[in-house]
Amino acid sequence: MLAKRIIPCLDVKDGRVVKGTNFVNLRDAGDAVELAARYYEEGADELTFLDITASAEKRKTLLDLVVAVGKVIRIPFTVGGGVSELGDLEALLRAGADKVSLNTAIVKRPELITEAAKRFGSQAVVAAVDVKNVGDRHKVFVKGGREETDREAKAWCLEAVDRGAGEFLLTSMDKDGAKTGYDLEFLDWLTANVSVPVVASGGAGKREHFLEAFRDARVDACLAASLFHYQELNIQDLKAYLRENGVVVRL
């Protein structure tokens, strides 16, 4: 059985790590390089770096910062934000990323998933899906949660995997920063209907939430931010708890 993964997330704005609630009310959480180094030492399995305003500001990801973070870690590294063409993926992979997270660009032009998978391999292509409940529908949002689309989230997830996405980063905007637990219902549906790894994002508030996502929704990885940034939860302590409760993790 593959070990489950714990992934700290660096949401970056203006070169600093930030964290908010429901994608708004952002507050400073520290220096990206320093936090990355700390998480590597604490035993993180992977690291995710998202330049959360790049798409909305119509600019590219901060490559220099990606390079600097990549130099202090020796674990898989996913980077996203402002990626709109194959050249952007190539630049990030050359800068030290192992995988590239795509959201706004692939919703606007889904063919980019297939093009990227053919050129760089599906394992390098992460479909990031930001989901919010609007009425009785799960709607996809883009541009860092600023723009609602007409896409229904479940249908979009199925299309993305058919086009070649190698992993999903599923973020519940309703749960983001609320610390009430992951969206287990949607995650359970997703893991049952796609054949690629699923990373749960949005809602972790205590160690039990990670256990629920692994046990009840069968996700492959759990991503969290503020719990780790503000040292409310230590990665090694979390992993020890998960192992005690039957979850296979790397200590």
Side-chain angles (χ1 to χ4, degrees), residues 61-149:
T61 305
L62 302 169
L63 278 180
D64 290 346
L65 192 53
V66 172
V67 171
V69 169
K71 287 181 178 178
V72 299
I73 61 174
R74 296 292 182 271
I75 51 178
F77 185 25
T78 299
V79 180
V83 179
S84 60
E85 56 189 18
L86 291 179
D88 299 332
L89 277 88
E90 184 171 6
L92 290 172
L93 294 169
R94 287 183 180 275
D98 298 284
K99 295 181 277 190
V100 177
S101 174
L102 299 154
N103 185 351
T104 302
I106 58 175
V107 173
K108 303 293 185 184
R109 194 171 74 83
E111 297 83 4
L112 181 59
I113 301 175
T114 306
E115 294 166 3
K118 285 182 177 178
R119 182 161 173 182
F120 305 109
S122 289
Q123 81 288 339
V125 181
V126 178
V129 184
D130 295 337
V131 180
K132 185 176 183 180
N133 292 325
V134 180
D136 60 351
R137 301 181 66 196
H138 294 97
K139 298 296 288 293
V140 175
F141 279 66
V142 297
K143 296 184 178 178
R146 293 169 178 81
E147 182 179 302
E148 181 181 342
T149 74

